[in-house]
Amino acid sequence: MFLQHLCCKNTKQRHTNMAASEISETSLEKNYDKVDESSSDSEISEEPVEPKLKYERISNDLTHILGKDAASCMAVHPKFLALGTHWGVIHVLDHLGNNIINKERPAHTTTVNQISIDSFGEHLGSCSDDGRVVIGGLYTTENNQVHMFDRPVKAVSLDPHFSKPGSGKHYVTGDDKLVLHEKAFLSRHKTTYLHQGEGPVRNIQWSPNGQFIAWANDLGVKVYDMTLKRKITFIPREDKTNLRPELYRCNLCWKNETCLLIGWVDNIKVCMVKERKDANSPEQPSRYVEITEMFTTDFFICGLAPFRENLAVLSYVTHDQQLGVQGQSERPQLRIILPHMDYYEEICNDALSIRGFSEYRCNDYHLECIPVDELYFIVSPKDVVVAKARDADDHIQWLMEHEFFQEAMVCAMKNDGKDLKRHNVQDISRAYLTYLLDGESFDEAARLCVKILGRNKQRWEEEVYKFARIHQLKAIAPYLPRGDLRLDPAIYEMVLNEFLHSDYEGFRQLVKEWPSDIYHIPTVINVVIDRLCAEPDNSTLLNALGELYTREASYDKALAIYLRLKHEGVFELIHKHSLFHSITDKIEMLVDFDRERAVKLLLENVDKIPIDLVVKQLETRPDLQHAYLDRLFIKDPHRGQQYHGLQVRLYARYEPTKLLSFLRSSSYYPLQRALEECQQKKLIPETVFLLGIIKTNQNRLLAEISVR
């Protein structure tokens, strides 16, 4: 593995407990050298934490350079890199590691200790153990300078505005003195001793605006104010381990114009230059430095830089956990931490497999940064790795690798995916669907199709066939498009066939819900009929077949099935499609199914279904005859009068309580036959009523005869 990502949750402790988990680098850079290293169970993080950075080994010409020489220091600029080696050569490279033509500089005869670049990227300054300080222009030789000292020079720093006309061409060197160099009147070289007498100056950093110079010697860090022309602070070294300063250098970095970061051995300080509101004496400078955060770490500090609101810290650790005891070197770690006073929160930690890391010591590593581009360069004698802030594509890649597909989809949809170069919503959705199907989350996968496939017919059909291959068409059936977007009819027929072989009720429901024009109805009807050959009395299949016949406009066939099943939709079917001619031979079945609704239907359509036909059809079912004729009499006492004699018998048999009322209301039944029926049934009130009518009739007849 090129890097090992050490994940941890933020905790407000002085140190953060870490757990390690491996991250594959093959997706980031194919050229990485890999180191196989297994992690114990105790190293595996319970919850994955997304790394903040991605890593890439710089190769090309740099690989050839470091194959023959070794890096000793580096300075970085948004335009290029300047690499110093132990052979005293300065290589000017682009960010990919390619040599910039004619920019290689054999400036020194031995190790280059420090390189400085002005903010415009036009001049370089370098120093070496050979005592030479070289100032050179990349595009002009006008301000080129070489100064010889009689002792090693450990530090040099150019004024950020060195290339600006009229700037004075300031730069600072550090041996056992801190010396300010500038171009004076008539281009004379002027030197000013800013500090001396405290041993060698090992690091110098000029603030971005050129106002402050910070430097470190073996006793501590001092800051010089160029506008006040004086030192404004001294921050003593705090090293309880008493390690040799030349082996554990002080790391300085300006976060901005007024914030200085100091990392030394195992101690980090965040310092702010502030204006003094009320000076107690004229000797006090108007500015001072306040330490806003300070804490001790459990690792050696090789370099530090700002990372947004946090700090990026390159750390060096050994197998021996006790600081100050030299053990076998482990991989250097780039940590992102949130500083506080007396403690820090560790956000993430990446252990890097730098070439030859096991042989290196703390001072062999350097960390340089280009904050505006969020680029961090980890430099070692035989390797240079660049860490970059992860972009939206990296974030999505991490989410997908850890199966957080929903979050990946949301991220991809932001700004309509304009920030993405390697990913798109379509590819993410495909991966998500595959993940759900592999995990047998079929219903969730089907619901997802609606969100991600939209009106893309081709993708819909591709995904349906995926469901078909794993016999899960039932899961996606409810979500298939059935509106303006239509798939190939074979898709819907395939789904119906799946239900027909496994879920009759589901099949019937789909036939009822789906529009009839999205599949070939005769094809489906034939399959259902074949199925009914094996199960001729299956009511669910018959229901579905009836619905299919209705959709096909084969109403007679549908009606026959519905009547057979006594389906409640039979009456609606008859009314909607005027199927009265189709029920002339099915009246008994219709009335027997739902007497009330059938009789009402027949009476409302007497012109289409004559009374005589109904009575004849119901001859074998006198109970149904009675129901029909009774309702007919109630509706119109005079219609169907030819059947009033029959009705007397039917009333006597089925509803004798209504017979007397019928006898009183009708005059179309034969009295003698009615009397015989009532006498036979022993219906006394009805018999008395009929005898009274007969006697009345007899008296009327006798009266007529006597008159004659």
Side-chain angles (χ1 to χ4, degrees):
M1 288 290 178
F2 174 73
L3 78 85
Q4 185 181 51
H5 179 56
L6 305 176
C7 306
C8 56
K9 296 181 179 178
N10 291 346
T11 57
K12 292 192 176 181
Q13 302 173 354
R14 183 170 177 266
H15 303 302
T16 308
N17 294 327
M18 296 188 302
S21 62
E22 294 289 340
I23 289 185
S24 170
E25 285 299 301
T26 55
S27 62
L28 298 178
E29 177 61 44
K30 295 180 180 178
N31 302 357
Y32 286 174
D33 293 337
K34 297 181 182 178
V35 177
D36 292 330
E37 181 167 322
S38 60
S39 299
S40 64
D41 293 341
S42 62
E43 290 179 319
I44 298 177
S45 174
E46 293 182 0
E47 295 183 14
V49 177
E50 183 177 2
K52 301 297 182 182
L53 300 167
K54 59 181 177 179
Y55 298 85
E56 183 176 341
R57 175 169 280 121
I58 299 179
S59 54
N60 300 314
D61 292 334
L62 180 62
T63 303
H64 177 72
I65 293 169
L66 297 182
K68 296 182 177 181
D69 202 347
S72 60
C73 62
M74 190 166 75
V76 298
H77 188 272
K79 298 178 183 178
F80 61 89
L81 311 176
L83 179 76
T85 72
H86 285 285
W87 283 4
V89 181
I90 297 175
H91 299 272
V92 180
L93 312 166
D94 64 18
H95 287 182
L96 299 178
N98 299 299
N99 261 320
I100 298 178
I101 300 175
N102 299 325
K103 294 295 188 283
E104 180 179 315
R105 297 168 176 267
H108 304 279
T109 59
T110 186
T111 301
V112 180
N113 290 323
Q114 190 169 16
I115 301 173
S116 178
I117 307 173
D118 73 310
S119 62
F120 298 95
E122 296 180 4
H123 289 82
L124 292 178
S126 62
C127 63
S128 169
D129 284 345
D130 62 6
R132 289 162 55 94
V133 173
V134 180
I135 309 297
L138 293 175
Y139 311 104
T140 177
T141 60
E142 180 181 355
N143 297 303
N144 286 9
Q145 305 174 42
V146 178
H147 293 281
M148 295 295 299
F149 294 81
D150 58 358
R151 52 199 164 274
V153 180
K154 296 296 185 181
V156 65
S157 184
L158 296 183
D159 179 356
H161 307 302
F162 185 91
S163 299
K164 187 176 180 180
S167 65
K169 309 304 178 187
H170 298 93
Y171 64 95
V172 184
T173 59
D175 45 19
D176 58 352
K177 307 177 185 67
L178 182 72
V179 183
L180 174 66
H181 305 259
E182 59 183 311
K183 182 183 288 188
F185 184 65
L186 298 178
S187 298
R188 294 178 179 176
H189 183 77
K190 178 183 177 182
T191 58
T192 304
Y193 292 95
L194 302 182
H195 188 78
Q196 59 183 326
E198 291 183 356
V201 175
R202 301 187 184 278
N203 194 356
I204 305 172
Q205 294 293 330
W206 214 308
S207 67
N209 61 359
Q211 184 174 356
F212 305 107
I213 303 170
W215 75 94
N217 56 31
D218 294 348
L219 299 181
V221 175
K222 296 180 175 64
V223 177
Y224 184 87
D225 190 324
M226 289 290 291
T227 58
L228 299 178
K229 304 296 182 182
R230 63 180 298 177
K231 293 189 290 289
I232 61 173
T233 193
F234 167 62
I235 303 171
R237 177 187 181 190
E238 294 185 15
D239 179 17
K240 299 178 181 179
T241 60
N242 296 316
L243 296 175
R244 293 165 59 188
E246 66 271 21
L247 298 181
Y248 295 87
R249 69 176 176 273
C250 177
N251 298 276
L252 301 175
C253 178
W254 287 94
K255 182 177 181 180
N256 52 42
E257 286 77 3
T258 59
C259 182
L260 176 64
L261 307 178
I262 304 173
W264 205 340
V265 187
D266 63 343
N267 187 268
I268 291 178
K269 295 182 177 70
V270 179
C271 310
M272 295 294 297
V273 179
K274 296 186 176 182
E275 296 288 338
R276 195 184 301 276
K277 295 181 179 180
D278 48 349
N280 295 328
S281 67
E283 289 77 18
Q284 285 186 326
S286 60
R287 298 185 183 92
Y288 68 101
V289 175
E290 178 182 329
I291 300 175
T292 57
E293 287 97 18
M294 177 176 64
F295 51 87
T296 301
T297 67
D298 55 0
F299 50 81
F300 296 115
I301 299 158
C302 308
L304 77 166
F307 181 78
R308 299 169 186 169
E309 300 302 319
N310 305 310
L311 298 181
V313 181
L314 182 62
S315 61
Y316 170 81
V317 295
T318 65
H319 287 303
D320 195 317
Q321 297 298 318
Q322 183 179 356
L323 284 171
V325 178
Q326 189 64 59
Q328 184 179 355
S329 301
E330 296 183 356
R331 289 183 291 178
Q333 299 171 5
L334 186 60
R335 307 168 189 250
I336 304 299
I337 64 176
L338 177 62
H340 297 279
M341 183 59 75
D342 297 329
Y343 72 96
Y344 64 93
E345 298 178 50
E346 188 166 283
I347 297 172
C348 69
N349 183 349
D350 298 329
L352 310 176
S353 288
I354 299 294
R355 293 185 181 122
F357 69 88
S358 61
E359 304 299 325
Y360 296 151
R361 298 297 177 256
C362 187
N363 271 11
D364 290 325
Y365 295 107
H366 301 267
L367 177 64
E368 304 294 337
C369 75
I370 305 176
V372 65
D373 296 325
E374 293 190 329
L375 297 177
Y376 299 84
F377 297 85
I378 298 95
V379 184
S380 69
K382 292 294 183 179
D383 212 358
V384 178
V385 173
V386 59
K388 304 176 182 179
R390 294 168 63 85
D391 57 21
D393 279 301
D394 299 314
H395 178 54
I396 288 176
Q397 183 66 35
W398 185 88
L399 290 172
M400 293 174 65
E401 289 173 355
H402 290 80
E403 301 177 351
F404 299 139
F405 289 97
Q406 289 187 348
E407 293 86 343
M409 293 277 293
V410 172
C411 183
M413 291 177 183
K414 288 181 180 178
N415 299 324
D416 297 325
K418 295 178 182 178
D419 298 333
L420 301 179
K421 297 178 181 178
R422 305 195 313 269
H423 297 90
N424 56 61
V425 175
Q426 185 172 341
D427 291 341
I428 297 170
S429 63
R430 279 197 179 122
Y432 191 13
L433 276 176
T434 301
Y435 165 74
L436 292 175
L437 293 176
D438 290 345
E440 300 185 357
S441 299
F442 304 120
D443 291 337
E444 188 176 351
R447 287 194 298 271
L448 179 64
C449 288
V450 180
K451 298 179 181 179
I452 65 176
L453 301 183
R455 299 181 58 80
N456 191 322
K457 178 181 176 181
Q458 181 180 353
R459 286 206 60 200
W460 264 108
E461 292 179 352
E462 289 174 358
E463 297 304 331
V464 171
Y465 281 117
K466 285 184 183 179
F467 279 82
R469 284 193 290 271
I470 57 177
H471 307 291
Q472 289 298 327
L473 286 173
K474 291 172 66 175
I476 200 171
Y479 307 102
L480 292 179
R482 306 188 294 273
D484 295 337
L485 176 66
R486 301 289 176 88
L487 307 183
D488 189 274
I491 296 289
Y492 301 103
E493 292 166 15
M494 181 172 61
V495 174
L496 288 170
N497 189 61
E498 174 86 5
F499 274 88
L500 187 58
H501 285 80
S502 60
D503 183 358
Y504 289 162
E505 181 57 34
F507 173 80
R508 185 193 70 81
Q509 198 65 30
L510 288 184
V511 169
K512 184 177 180 181
E513 293 176 358
W514 281 5
S516 59
D517 57 345
I518 64 175
Y519 55 89
H520 191 233
I521 294 178
T523 300
V524 180
I525 287 176
N526 290 336
V527 177
V528 176
I529 291 174
D530 290 343
R531 201 74 181 172
L532 280 168
C533 291
E535 302 179 61
D537 296 323
N538 189 294
S539 60
T540 304
L541 286 180
L542 288 170
N543 259 301
L545 184 59
E547 185 69 33
L548 288 168
Y549 278 137
T550 303
R551 301 295 182 89
E552 193 188 36
S554 299
Y555 302 119
D556 292 348
K557 295 178 180 179
L559 181 62
I561 292 175
Y562 283 166
L563 283 174
R564 175 183 171 183
L565 296 174
K566 296 185 177 181
H567 192 286
E568 61 180 8
V570 69
F571 297 100
E572 180 183 354
L573 185 68
I574 295 170
H575 271 297
K576 186 175 181 179
H577 302 289
S578 298
L579 301 179
F580 301 104
H581 65 283
S582 300
I583 63 173
T584 54
D585 59 343
K586 303 178 181 66
I587 293 175
E588 181 180 337
M589 293 174 61
L590 190 66
V591 179
D592 188 44
F593 164 47
D594 191 328
R595 186 174 302 183
E596 191 70 25
R597 294 178 67 185
V599 169
K600 181 181 179 183
L601 172 71
L602 294 171
L603 293 178
E604 289 175 350
N605 297 276
V606 172
D607 54 330
K608 300 181 182 69
I609 308 173
I611 297 172
D612 293 342
L613 177 62
V614 175
V615 174
K616 183 172 180 58
Q617 283 279 316
L618 299 178
E619 280 180 345
T620 58
R621 291 292 304 273
D623 56 325
L624 303 181
Q625 263 188 341
H626 168 67
Y628 172 74
L629 291 173
D630 176 53
R631 292 291 300 275
L632 177 63
F633 180 77
I634 294 172
K635 182 177 181 181
D636 186 351
H638 303 288
R639 204 162 190 176
Q641 55 184 280
Q642 67 272 31
Y643 298 109
H644 284 197
L646 172 62
Q647 279 189 273
V648 172
R649 187 169 69 251
L650 294 175
Y651 274 121
R653 181 176 179 181
Y654 296 107
E655 284 189 285
T657 57
K658 298 175 69 174
L659 178 56
L660 183 58
S661 175
F662 173 78
L663 294 174
R664 289 173 175 170
S665 302
S666 173
S667 57
Y668 302 114
Y669 55 85
L671 288 174
Q672 189 60 41
R673 288 177 55 190
L675 178 61
E676 291 173 0
E677 186 68 30
C678 291
Q679 289 176 337
Q680 184 180 355
K681 299 293 184 184
K682 298 181 180 180
L683 302 175
I684 296 174
E686 290 77 4
T687 301
V688 172
F689 172 75
L690 290 172
L691 288 174
I693 293 178
I694 293 172
K695 186 175 182 179
T696 300
N697 290 342
Q698 288 177 347
N699 292 337
R700 185 180 299 116
L701 180 60
L702 290 174
E704 290 178 358
I705 293 173
S706 62
V707 169
R708 292 178 184 173

